[in-house]
Amino acid sequence: MPRFPDHLTGDGPHNPFPGVRVLERRLGREIPHQLGSNEGLDMPHRALRERFGDALAEHVYSYGDAEALGIRQRLAEQKGIPLEAMLVDAGADSLIALTLRAVTSPGETVVATRGTYPTFAYFARGEGARLVEVPYNEGPGRLAPDLEALAGAAHEERARLVYLANPDNPGGHLHRDEDVLALRERLPDDCWLLLDEAYHDFRDDADGEFGRRVLPGVVRLRTLSKAHGLAGLRVGYAIAEPETLAVMMKVRIHYAVSTLSQAAAETVLDAPGEVAAHVAAVRKRRERLATHLRELGADVLPSATNFVGVRLPTAELAAEVHKTLLDEGKLIARPADPALGHVLRITAVEDALAPGRLATLEQALRRG
Ligand SMILES: Cc1ncc(COP(=O)(O)O)c(C=O)c1O
C-alpha cells in the first residue's frame, strides 16, 4: 500500500472534538442534556423560522455528526459500498484537498492531465506539491486522459499521487474499468491513485459491481452535487480502504458537513426514485444536446456525464463564442488552461436546449 507522511503514521493526531453523535454511538445511548458543547442552543431563531420554517431551525443548533453515519448507511444500503469504506466530506472538492493533505508532504510530486478538472492543480499547488502535467490523448472523437503518460510520469517523477477524473471533465470521456485497474497496476507501489468519480452516477453502469469496489492504493471520490442536485449544500464521499480513511480522518475538518446538509442529503437519498428519474432525464437531455450540435457540424465529444464537451476549430473562436455568450448573460464553460482553449463545455440542463439559447455557438459552427 502507498505511504503516508511520517507525521500521520504514528498514534494521532487525535480529533479533540468528535462530537455528541459520535460519543452517543460509542456509549450506546442518547445524551439528552447537551451542556458542554458551547453551542447556541437557546437561540430562538425567530428570523430563521420566519424565512425557512421550523423544520430548518431544528437542524442548525448542533454540530453535525462528524462520521455522517446516516448518509453512509443509506449509501451502503443502496449501492452496496461497505459502510467502513466510506468517508463523507464537504463535496468532492474537499475530498481532493483532504486526500492531498493526508498523503503528500510539501515538495512531493503529483501528476495530472494538463487541462483536466483544474481544482486538483489549484489545491495541489496550495499544498506545496510539485505538479507534473501530461498532455491529453487527443484524436478524432477522443479527448481522453492518457493513462500510459500518467503512469510513465509517475515513475519518472517519483510521484506520490496521480489524479484521474473518470468520467473526465471537461471532455466527458469514460475510461473502461479494466483500463483504470491496469493504471493502478502500472503505478509505482508507493504512489496513490486519486480517482475522481464526480460524474459516476451518470454512467450507464453506475450501480454495477465495479462501482462499489474498494481498490487498494486508490481513493475514489463521489459527490451529491450533480445527480442529487445538492451542490450548494456540499456533500461528497470517498471510497477507500478503512486504514486509508482512518488517516484521512486525522486531518479532516470534523464538522465540515453541516447538520442541515446531512439531513438534506439523507432526505434526498431516501427518495432514490427521484434521483433515478433525474439521472435518466439528464442523460436524455445530454443526448439531445449532443445530437443537435452534431447536426450543426460540431465536434461533440462522447460524454458519460451531465454535460457535453465541444471542440471548436481554434481556441480563438472558442474564446469569442464564450465571451459573446457571456455578454448575452449565458455562461458556458471554457477551460482556463491553454491546452484546452478550443474546448467548450455545456451542462445538459433544459435551459441549454431552449430555442435560440446557444444561437451564438450555432452561428459560429455554421460559419466554421
Ligand atoms: C471532476 C470534478 N470533480 C469534483 C467536482 C466538485 O464536486 P463537489 O461539488 O462535490 O465539490 C467537480 C464539479 O464540477 C468535477 O467536475
Side-chain angles (χ1 to χ4, degrees):
M1 184 161 107
R3 281 201 296 115
F4 296 100
D6 290 345
H7 66 281
L8 298 177
T9 48
D11 188 28
H14 298 285
N15 174 5
F17 293 116
V20 175
R21 300 286 93 80
V22 174
L23 182 58
E24 283 178 333
R25 280 199 290 278
R26 277 188 202 153
L27 295 174
R29 60 186 152 80
E30 278 188 28
I31 304 171
H33 304 286
Q34 291 177 30
L35 313 177
S37 312
N38 298 350
E39 294 146 326
L41 299 177
D42 295 332
M43 171 75 182
H45 271 318
R46 279 185 285 275
L48 203 62
R49 288 172 195 277
E50 200 171 302
R51 174 150 186 210
F52 296 107
D54 289 344
L56 176 94
E58 298 318 311
H59 295 293
V60 303
Y61 284 108
S62 293
Y63 292 113
D65 179 355
E67 297 174 346
L69 183 64
I71 295 177
R72 290 189 297 128
Q73 277 171 333
R74 285 163 175 81
L75 291 168
E77 264 165 40
Q78 290 175 15
K79 304 196 177 292
I81 306 165
L83 188 72
E84 65 284 1
M86 279 182 285
L87 181 156
V88 175
D89 204 22
D93 280 353
S94 266
L95 285 156
I96 292 174
L98 181 62
T99 308
L100 284 164
R101 211 170 153 203
V103 309
T104 64
S105 297
E108 288 185 332
T109 300
V110 298
V111 174
T113 305
R114 185 172 307 120
T116 191
Y117 183 57
T119 303
F120 173 76
Y122 170 58
F123 286 166
R125 291 191 174 103
E127 287 289 329
R130 178 177 160 258
L131 177 69
V132 171
E133 293 177 305
V134 299
Y136 268 100
N137 173 348
E138 225 186 322
R142 185 173 177 86
L143 179 68
D146 187 332
L147 304 185
E148 292 271 332
L150 288 169
H155 281 278
E156 276 159 35
E157 308 285 346
R158 298 171 157 271
R160 170 71 49 225
L161 178 143
V162 165
Y163 173 83
L164 174 69
N166 195 53
D168 186 42
N169 178 359
H173 180 86
L174 176 68
H175 276 294
R176 295 180 316 169
D177 300 340
E178 52 266 43
D179 295 336
V180 173
L181 293 174
L183 170 65
R184 174 57 271 180
E185 284 289 301
R186 285 210 298 270
L187 292 180
D189 283 348
D190 62 354
C191 176
W192 292 91
L193 176 60
L194 178 55
L195 184 58
D196 182 341
E197 300 180 314
Y199 298 97
H200 178 90
D201 294 320
F202 299 103
R203 288 178 61 156
D204 295 338
D205 57 352
D207 293 326
E209 192 270 334
F210 182 76
R212 49 180 174 269
R213 273 169 74 178
V214 183
L215 305 167
V218 182
V219 178
R220 310 178 79 170
L221 307 185
R222 306 267 171 87
T223 180
L224 272 64
S225 291
K226 298 166 191 295
H228 303 79
L230 290 176
L233 289 182
R234 315 305 302 131
V235 185
Y237 58 102
I239 306 167
E241 292 188 308
E243 311 83 73
T244 303
L245 298 182
V247 177
M248 289 168 70
M249 279 304 255
K250 290 184 181 189
V251 288
R252 178 171 175 264
I253 313 272
H254 34 284
Y255 298 134
V257 187
S258 73
T259 313
L260 176 65
S261 295
Q262 294 193 35
E266 290 170 10
T267 305
V268 173
L269 288 169
D270 283 339
E274 190 181 352
V275 176
H278 169 66
V279 168
V282 170
R283 285 206 201 114
K284 270 199 197 136
R285 276 199 295 272
R286 180 188 72 206
E287 293 321 306
R288 274 169 61 207
L289 186 58
T291 304
H292 172 64
L293 294 172
R294 274 194 195 109
E295 281 169 2
L296 294 167
D299 179 6
V300 180
L301 295 158
S303 170
T305 66
N306 65 349
F307 60 79
V308 292
V310 183
R311 267 188 306 211
L312 271 70
T314 63
E316 290 69 33
L317 184 59
E320 186 193 312
V321 169
H322 182 255
K323 182 178 178 312
T324 309
L325 283 171
L326 187 57
D327 291 345
E328 295 166 1
K330 303 159 190 168
L331 180 62
I332 62 169
R334 177 170 175 258
D337 195 300
L340 294 189
H342 58 310
V343 175
L344 296 176
R345 199 192 66 210
I346 305 159
T347 310
V349 286
E350 200 58 49
D351 194 28
L353 286 154
R357 184 70 73 239
L358 296 174
T360 295
L361 171 61
E362 294 165 9
Q363 280 153 20
L365 291 170
R366 284 200 192 94
R367 279 202 319 265

